[in-house]
Amino acid sequence: MIYSRIAGTGSYLPAKIITNQDLEKLVDTTDEWIRTRTGIERRHVAAEGETTVDLAEHAARRAIEAAGIAPAEIDFIAFGTTTPDLVFPNCGTLLQQRLGCRGVPAFSLETACAGFMYALSIADKYVRCGEARRALVIGAETLSRITDWSDRATAVLFADGAGAVVLEAAASPGVLSTHLHSDGEYKDLLYCGSGVSKGFDAKLAISMTGSEVFKIAVTKLGQVVDETLSANGLERSSLDWLVPHQANIRIIQATARKLEIPMERVIVTVQDHGNTSAASVPMALDVAVREGRIRRGELLLLEAFGGGFTWGSALVRY
Ligand code: COA
């Protein structure tokens, strides 16, 4: 049997930081409201002209270096993003050209905040079936470009960043299972109304019915973590770490409660990163790996939920 294992992680944040105090000057909000309702204290946003692929390239190079391989050894690229540089070529292919691994399959997919979970699941399948040996999996976003900075309901939440992992073929897992879901019934609760086929309108930004999104996110994430554990015949107590989507500290706490996992075993970066959509899980993973908290051999549950709705999880022996 061939499995995939995480050989290296990387992440990158653009230099510019917007604090809650900065937002107090832009919209009718307070640092206290943002911190207590979301857990967010600051977020990073891309500079003018800095794109999703620019951020992704930094994260990818760090993950490749951590894996101890050369960029040319990457033979598959799966890139989750909802904020691509261009309509086409896709971000995966743009990144492939920069890394110099020419000719390998590369694509991007847009499943909002679950983008990394979808990309990871697909890359894992390609490694398992022997068609890829070293897959680069990316989640990267410049959500600041589709955020209405005068809308306090969303401006306080979203941010930019990039995370990456290199998956490598291995004789033992690695990625134990992945679980993906979507339900378009909820499409009106969280969306960006601008598009290509429907008509491009740069004025249309992220629109969200926050309290409804909150409730459904907690329910669906609770279900998917149960599904993940039962698919592997595991008890909640087997988990070493929960690496959740960093949307809101209260959603993270609710999922941790469901798993009966103490917050000390939950990776939380939302205070520094905000909600970076597809970038959120791989960035949190990389932070925890580089801080030495997540160690080789430990069992991780990764999960994310976002617009669509789309959601998913992965159980990973790191
Ligand atoms: N600053 C100050 N007040 C704000 C505010 C802001 N940025 N945004 C909303 N408010 C106000 C509302 O107008 C409302 O005022 P009212 O009681 O006078 O009507 C009050 O705060 C409560 O609003 P509500 O929307 O009920 O708050 P909430 O506790 O649900 O928190 C969110 C709002 C957005 C933080 C929360 O619903 C959330 O995080 N939802 C999930 C969003 C998410 O994670 N989306 C991405 C999924 S990937």
Side-chain angles (χ1 to χ4, degrees), residues 82 109-118 179-184 186-187 190 217 220-221 245 277 303-313:
T82 309
L109 54 88
E110 41 170 333
T111 49
C113 300
F116 177 78
M117 304 313 309
Y118 271 70
H179 306 267
L180 303 178
H181 296 281
S182 81
D183 191 343
Y186 299 110
K187 63 181 169 27
L190 176 56
K220 298 296 184 195
L221 287 171
H245 176 43
S277 187
E303 46 86 337
F305 177 91
F309 290 136
T310 54
W311 64 102
S313 66

Short mmCIF file of all heavy atoms in Angstrom, two decimals, residues 82 109-118 179-184 186-187 190 217 220-221 245 277 303-313:
data_model
loop_
_atom_site.label_atom_id
_atom_site.label_comp_id
_atom_site.label_asym_id
_atom_site.label_seq_id
_atom_site.Cartn_x
_atom_site.Cartn_y
_atom_site.Cartn_z
N THR A 82 -10.13 31.16 -3.33
CA THR A 82 -11.34 31.78 -3.86
C THR A 82 -11.01 33.15 -4.42
O THR A 82 -11.88 33.85 -4.94
CB THR A 82 -12.38 31.92 -2.72
OG1 THR A 82 -12.50 30.65 -2.09
CG2 THR A 82 -13.76 32.29 -3.24
N LEU A 109 -8.74 25.13 -7.17
CA LEU A 109 -10.14 24.84 -6.95
C LEU A 109 -10.69 25.87 -5.97
O LEU A 109 -9.97 26.38 -5.12
CB LEU A 109 -10.33 23.41 -6.44
CG LEU A 109 -9.55 22.99 -5.21
CD1 LEU A 109 -10.31 23.30 -3.94
CD2 LEU A 109 -9.27 21.50 -5.28
N GLU A 110 -11.99 26.17 -6.13
CA GLU A 110 -12.58 27.24 -5.33
C GLU A 110 -13.70 26.69 -4.46
O GLU A 110 -14.84 26.65 -4.90
CB GLU A 110 -13.07 28.38 -6.22
CG GLU A 110 -13.75 27.93 -7.48
CD GLU A 110 -14.45 29.05 -8.23
OE1 GLU A 110 -14.85 30.03 -7.61
OE2 GLU A 110 -14.59 28.90 -9.44
N THR A 111 -13.34 26.21 -3.30
CA THR A 111 -14.34 25.75 -2.35
C THR A 111 -14.22 26.57 -1.06
O THR A 111 -14.31 26.04 0.04
CB THR A 111 -14.23 24.24 -2.06
OG1 THR A 111 -12.86 23.93 -1.76
CG2 THR A 111 -14.66 23.41 -3.25
N ALA A 112 -13.99 27.87 -1.26
CA ALA A 112 -13.96 28.84 -0.17
C ALA A 112 -13.05 28.36 0.98
O ALA A 112 -11.96 27.85 0.73
CB ALA A 112 -15.37 29.16 0.30
N CYS A 113 -13.53 28.49 2.21
CA CYS A 113 -12.66 28.19 3.36
C CYS A 113 -12.27 26.73 3.43
O CYS A 113 -11.32 26.37 4.13
CB CYS A 113 -13.33 28.62 4.65
SG CYS A 113 -13.69 30.37 4.68
N ALA A 114 -13.01 25.85 2.74
CA ALA A 114 -12.65 24.43 2.73
C ALA A 114 -11.67 24.10 1.60
O ALA A 114 -11.38 22.93 1.35
CB ALA A 114 -13.90 23.58 2.61
N GLY A 115 -11.15 25.12 0.93
CA GLY A 115 -10.31 24.90 -0.25
C GLY A 115 -9.08 24.03 0.03
O GLY A 115 -8.73 23.16 -0.76
N PHE A 116 -8.44 24.26 1.17
CA PHE A 116 -7.26 23.44 1.48
C PHE A 116 -7.67 22.00 1.76
O PHE A 116 -6.97 21.06 1.36
CB PHE A 116 -6.49 24.02 2.68
CG PHE A 116 -5.32 23.17 3.08
CD1 PHE A 116 -4.14 23.21 2.36
CD2 PHE A 116 -5.41 22.30 4.16
CE1 PHE A 116 -3.05 22.41 2.71
CE2 PHE A 116 -4.33 21.50 4.52
CZ PHE A 116 -3.15 21.55 3.80
N MET A 117 -8.80 21.79 2.43
CA MET A 117 -9.23 20.42 2.75
C MET A 117 -9.52 19.65 1.46
O MET A 117 -9.17 18.48 1.32
CB MET A 117 -10.47 20.41 3.64
CG MET A 117 -10.35 21.17 4.96
SD MET A 117 -8.87 20.86 5.93
CE MET A 117 -8.86 19.12 6.02
N TYR A 118 -10.15 20.33 0.50
CA TYR A 118 -10.43 19.69 -0.79
C TYR A 118 -9.12 19.39 -1.54
O TYR A 118 -8.94 18.31 -2.10
CB TYR A 118 -11.34 20.59 -1.65
CG TYR A 118 -12.82 20.36 -1.43
CD1 TYR A 118 -13.44 20.75 -0.24
CD2 TYR A 118 -13.62 19.77 -2.41
CE1 TYR A 118 -14.79 20.55 -0.04
CE2 TYR A 118 -14.98 19.57 -2.22
CZ TYR A 118 -15.56 19.97 -1.03
OH TYR A 118 -16.91 19.76 -0.83
N HIS A 179 -12.56 13.73 4.50
CA HIS A 179 -14.03 13.70 4.41
C HIS A 179 -14.49 15.05 3.90
O HIS A 179 -14.23 16.08 4.54
CB HIS A 179 -14.62 13.42 5.79
CG HIS A 179 -14.05 12.16 6.42
ND1 HIS A 179 -14.65 10.95 6.30
CD2 HIS A 179 -12.89 11.97 7.09
CE1 HIS A 179 -13.90 10.03 6.89
NE2 HIS A 179 -12.82 10.63 7.38
N LEU A 180 -15.14 15.06 2.74
CA LEU A 180 -15.56 16.33 2.12
C LEU A 180 -17.07 16.38 1.98
O LEU A 180 -17.71 15.36 1.69
CB LEU A 180 -14.93 16.46 0.73
CG LEU A 180 -13.41 16.38 0.64
CD1 LEU A 180 -12.96 16.49 -0.81
CD2 LEU A 180 -12.76 17.45 1.49
N HIS A 181 -17.62 17.60 2.14
CA HIS A 181 -19.08 17.78 1.98
C HIS A 181 -19.37 19.14 1.37
O HIS A 181 -18.56 20.07 1.48
CB HIS A 181 -19.76 17.71 3.35
CG HIS A 181 -19.65 16.38 4.01
ND1 HIS A 181 -20.43 15.32 3.66
CD2 HIS A 181 -18.81 15.94 4.98
CE1 HIS A 181 -20.10 14.27 4.41
NE2 HIS A 181 -19.11 14.62 5.21
N SER A 182 -20.56 19.25 0.78
CA SER A 182 -21.05 20.58 0.40
C SER A 182 -22.56 20.57 0.40
O SER A 182 -23.19 19.51 0.28
CB SER A 182 -20.51 21.00 -0.98
OG SER A 182 -21.27 20.41 -2.00
N ASP A 183 -23.15 21.76 0.55
CA ASP A 183 -24.60 21.90 0.48
C ASP A 183 -24.94 23.29 -0.02
O ASP A 183 -24.93 24.27 0.73
CB ASP A 183 -25.23 21.65 1.85
CG ASP A 183 -26.74 21.52 1.74
OD1 ASP A 183 -27.30 21.94 0.71
OD2 ASP A 183 -27.36 21.00 2.68
N GLY A 184 -25.26 23.37 -1.33
CA GLY A 184 -25.56 24.65 -1.97
C GLY A 184 -26.88 25.27 -1.55
O GLY A 184 -27.17 26.42 -1.90
N TYR A 186 -27.41 26.49 1.10
CA TYR A 186 -27.06 27.61 1.98
C TYR A 186 -26.31 28.72 1.25
O TYR A 186 -25.69 29.57 1.88
CB TYR A 186 -26.18 27.10 3.13
CG TYR A 186 -26.84 26.08 4.02
CD1 TYR A 186 -26.44 24.76 4.01
CD2 TYR A 186 -27.87 26.46 4.87
CE1 TYR A 186 -27.04 23.81 4.83
CE2 TYR A 186 -28.48 25.53 5.70
CZ TYR A 186 -28.06 24.21 5.68
OH TYR A 186 -28.65 23.30 6.50
N LYS A 187 -26.37 28.71 -0.07
CA LYS A 187 -25.51 29.62 -0.84
C LYS A 187 -25.75 31.10 -0.53
O LYS A 187 -24.84 31.91 -0.68
CB LYS A 187 -25.68 29.36 -2.35
CG LYS A 187 -27.06 29.64 -2.88
CD LYS A 187 -27.11 29.32 -4.37
CE LYS A 187 -28.49 29.29 -4.96
NZ LYS A 187 -29.54 30.08 -4.35
N LEU A 190 -23.60 33.09 2.71
CA LEU A 190 -22.20 33.55 2.65
C LEU A 190 -21.74 33.44 1.21
O LEU A 190 -21.62 32.34 0.67
CB LEU A 190 -21.34 32.65 3.58
CG LEU A 190 -19.83 32.89 3.60
CD1 LEU A 190 -19.51 34.33 3.95
CD2 LEU A 190 -19.17 31.95 4.62
N ALA A 217 -22.16 26.22 10.96
CA ALA A 217 -20.75 25.81 11.03
C ALA A 217 -20.51 24.91 12.23
O ALA A 217 -19.88 23.85 12.13
CB ALA A 217 -19.84 27.04 11.09
N LYS A 220 -22.22 21.43 11.49
CA LYS A 220 -21.56 20.62 10.45
C LYS A 220 -20.16 20.18 10.88
O LYS A 220 -19.74 19.07 10.58
CB LYS A 220 -21.48 21.40 9.13
CG LYS A 220 -22.82 21.77 8.53
CD LYS A 220 -23.63 20.54 8.16
CE LYS A 220 -24.94 20.92 7.48
NZ LYS A 220 -25.89 19.79 7.43
N LEU A 221 -19.44 21.07 11.54
CA LEU A 221 -18.10 20.69 11.98
C LEU A 221 -18.16 19.61 13.05
O LEU A 221 -17.36 18.68 13.05
CB LEU A 221 -17.33 21.92 12.49
CG LEU A 221 -16.89 22.88 11.38
CD1 LEU A 221 -16.32 24.18 11.96
CD2 LEU A 221 -15.85 22.23 10.47
N HIS A 245 -10.22 25.27 11.25
CA HIS A 245 -10.34 26.50 10.47
C HIS A 245 -10.42 27.67 11.44
O HIS A 245 -11.16 27.62 12.43
CB HIS A 245 -11.59 26.41 9.61
CG HIS A 245 -11.87 27.66 8.83
ND1 HIS A 245 -10.88 28.35 8.17
CD2 HIS A 245 -13.02 28.33 8.59
CE1 HIS A 245 -11.42 29.41 7.57
NE2 HIS A 245 -12.71 29.42 7.81
N SER A 277 -9.61 32.10 5.14
CA SER A 277 -10.27 31.14 4.25
C SER A 277 -9.38 29.92 3.98
O SER A 277 -8.93 29.27 4.92
CB SER A 277 -10.69 31.86 2.95
OG SER A 277 -11.45 31.03 2.13
N GLU A 303 -9.83 20.50 10.19
CA GLU A 303 -11.20 20.70 9.67
C GLU A 303 -11.40 22.13 9.22
O GLU A 303 -10.75 23.05 9.73
CB GLU A 303 -12.25 20.26 10.69
CG GLU A 303 -12.03 20.74 12.12
CD GLU A 303 -12.57 22.12 12.44
OE1 GLU A 303 -12.75 22.93 11.52
OE2 GLU A 303 -12.77 22.40 13.63
N ALA A 304 -12.32 22.29 8.24
CA ALA A 304 -12.65 23.65 7.77
C ALA A 304 -14.08 23.69 7.26
O ALA A 304 -14.63 22.68 6.83
CB ALA A 304 -11.68 24.09 6.68
N PHE A 305 -14.64 24.90 7.30
CA PHE A 305 -16.02 25.13 6.89
C PHE A 305 -16.10 26.49 6.21
O PHE A 305 -15.50 27.45 6.68
CB PHE A 305 -16.92 25.14 8.14
CG PHE A 305 -18.36 25.44 7.85
CD1 PHE A 305 -19.24 24.41 7.58
CD2 PHE A 305 -18.83 26.75 7.82
CE1 PHE A 305 -20.58 24.66 7.30
CE2 PHE A 305 -20.15 27.02 7.53
CZ PHE A 305 -21.03 25.98 7.28
N GLY A 306 -16.83 26.59 5.10
CA GLY A 306 -16.93 27.89 4.46
C GLY A 306 -18.07 28.01 3.47
O GLY A 306 -18.93 27.14 3.37
N GLY A 307 -18.04 29.12 2.73
CA GLY A 307 -19.12 29.49 1.80
C GLY A 307 -19.45 28.37 0.84
O GLY A 307 -18.58 27.67 0.35
N GLY A 308 -20.74 28.28 0.57
CA GLY A 308 -21.21 27.21 -0.34
C GLY A 308 -22.52 26.62 0.08
O GLY A 308 -23.48 26.73 -0.62
N PHE A 309 -22.58 26.00 1.29
CA PHE A 309 -21.47 25.71 2.18
C PHE A 309 -20.63 24.54 1.68
O PHE A 309 -21.15 23.62 1.05
CB PHE A 309 -21.95 25.39 3.59
CG PHE A 309 -22.52 26.57 4.31
CD1 PHE A 309 -23.69 26.48 5.04
CD2 PHE A 309 -21.89 27.81 4.25
CE1 PHE A 309 -24.20 27.57 5.72
CE2 PHE A 309 -22.40 28.91 4.93
CZ PHE A 309 -23.56 28.78 5.66
N THR A 310 -19.34 24.59 2.00
CA THR A 310 -18.46 23.46 1.79
C THR A 310 -17.75 23.20 3.11
O THR A 310 -17.49 24.14 3.86
CB THR A 310 -17.39 23.79 0.74
OG1 THR A 310 -16.71 24.99 1.13
CG2 THR A 310 -17.99 23.97 -0.64
N TRP A 311 -17.48 21.96 3.41
CA TRP A 311 -16.73 21.67 4.63
C TRP A 311 -16.02 20.33 4.49
O TRP A 311 -16.35 19.53 3.61
CB TRP A 311 -17.61 21.73 5.87
CG TRP A 311 -18.72 20.75 6.00
CD1 TRP A 311 -18.72 19.63 6.77
CD2 TRP A 311 -20.01 20.79 5.36
NE1 TRP A 311 -19.94 18.98 6.66
CE2 TRP A 311 -20.75 19.67 5.80
CE3 TRP A 311 -20.63 21.67 4.46
CZ2 TRP A 311 -22.04 19.39 5.38
CZ3 TRP A 311 -21.93 21.41 4.03
CH2 TRP A 311 -22.62 20.28 4.49
N GLY A 312 -15.02 20.14 5.35
CA GLY A 312 -14.27 18.89 5.24
C GLY A 312 -13.30 18.72 6.38
O GLY A 312 -13.08 19.65 7.18
N SER A 313 -12.72 17.54 6.45
CA SER A 313 -11.78 17.22 7.52
C SER A 313 -10.72 16.25 7.02
O SER A 313 -10.90 15.61 5.97
CB SER A 313 -12.53 16.57 8.69
OG SER A 313 -13.03 15.33 8.27
#
